[in-house]
Amino acid sequence: MAAAQWNRLMDHVMAVPERTYEGWNSHDGWDNHTKFGEEFGEDGYSWCVMWEWDMYHDVGLDAIVPKVDNVSAFTAWAQQRGQWSEYPSIGAWVNLGNGAHTEIVTGFDAVNIRTKGGNSIKEGAADNGQGNGVWSHTTARRSSRVVGYFAPRFPDGVCPPTADPGDHRGGKAVALYHWTPQSTPGAPAFPGRQYFVLGASSDYALQLQTWLQRGDWGPPYKVGPSRTMSQLDLIKVKALQQHYLSVLGPADGLAGPRTWQYAYEVAYGLRAK
């Protein structure tokens, strides 16, 4: 059985390395230029909301979230559609500081929420008014900074773990949930080489493209909704195969069972690159 869409999303979110992503110069300091802004199409601007949209876009779920670049806009969008909550849920976008910042909820209990977000700083570091990377944080649920949560409705109808006793998606409230590496599913069974030849289009192609992008196998690109294998996809497959030539060779760009497995393991940090 395929993993629920919220689970695939969170596995992807948690696979993004926590580090500084912005450039820096002596005139502007941290400059807001990142690959996440490029993916969204507005590089050089505050990118906390852009990063959240990118995460959904990367796994083919961008249709369920608004493509906006500020917290107040997605808050209004969610409220108008009955997708706003006072309770945390996994994958939700939290409004922090009345529109000042946002991150994706990755865990919660009775006292705290755990989040991960872009255009933020490493926990415990001094902000000085400007985030610079992707980092995880813990915030008290009852903090005055927490305004509320945009809880997207997933197309597969599965409600993620939620603390909301009246969740609009029909889920049953739980006391706590924390994502751990152990919750990452194993790679889906290899579906067959026919899905990965040039021009092939399928959800399997989209999955492999996402893994190749997260694994940083060659030039960055947008994993688009076409789900079609391109020449660039084959170049990335070849780069992966060349790196592990003794196991995956020859480096011919044709994805087989081992290439599929290795692409997955590198993307989720289960195999050293």
Side-chain angles (χ1 to χ4, degrees), residues 4-192:
Q5 290 175 327
W6 71 263
N7 204 329
R8 290 197 298 108
L9 168 73
M10 294 312 301
D11 288 335
H12 175 58
V13 167
M14 299 306 287
V16 177
E18 295 194 29
R19 62 175 178 84
T20 298
Y21 284 91
E22 292 189 23
W24 188 92
N25 63 72
S26 58
H27 180 265
D28 302 310
W30 299 111
D31 60 12
N32 278 322
H33 288 289
T34 69
K35 64 180 183 180
F36 304 110
E38 291 178 357
E39 178 176 345
F40 186 87
E42 290 185 17
D43 193 29
Y45 298 91
S46 180
W47 51 282
C48 59
V49 185
M50 298 183 197
W51 184 81
E52 294 178 329
W53 184 88
D54 288 348
M55 295 300 98
Y56 277 73
H57 176 254
D58 288 346
V59 295
L61 291 172
D62 49 296
I64 69 173
V65 295
K67 190 175 184 183
V68 296
D69 59 7
N70 69 86
V71 180
S72 297
F74 82 66
T75 297
W77 189 95
Q79 291 172 338
Q80 292 167 3
R81 290 163 175 77
Q83 298 185 42
W84 187 254
S85 177
E86 297 179 357
Y87 298 85
S89 63
I90 302 304
W93 300 10
V94 59
N95 180 329
L96 295 168
N98 197 26
H101 185 57
T102 181
E103 299 192 358
I104 291 177
V105 176
T106 63
F108 60 84
D109 55 33
V111 178
N112 297 312
I113 57 170
R114 187 70 175 163
T115 60
K116 185 172 182 178
N119 201 21
S120 64
I121 59 169
K122 189 173 183 179
E123 196 160 54
D127 187 356
N128 295 322
Q130 173 65 54
N132 58 25
V134 174
W135 307 99
S136 291
H137 304 95
T138 299
T139 304
R141 276 180 59 172
R142 292 173 177 79
S143 168
S144 60
R145 293 186 64 228
V146 178
V147 176
Y149 306 86
F150 163 36
R153 184 178 290 111
F154 290 88
D156 63 3
V158 179
C159 181
T162 178
D164 190 342
D167 196 294
H168 64 88
R169 299 162 296 185
K172 182 179 179 181
V174 297
L176 58 86
Y177 179 88
H178 292 287
W179 186 94
T180 64
Q182 288 73 29
S183 71
T184 304
F190 180 67

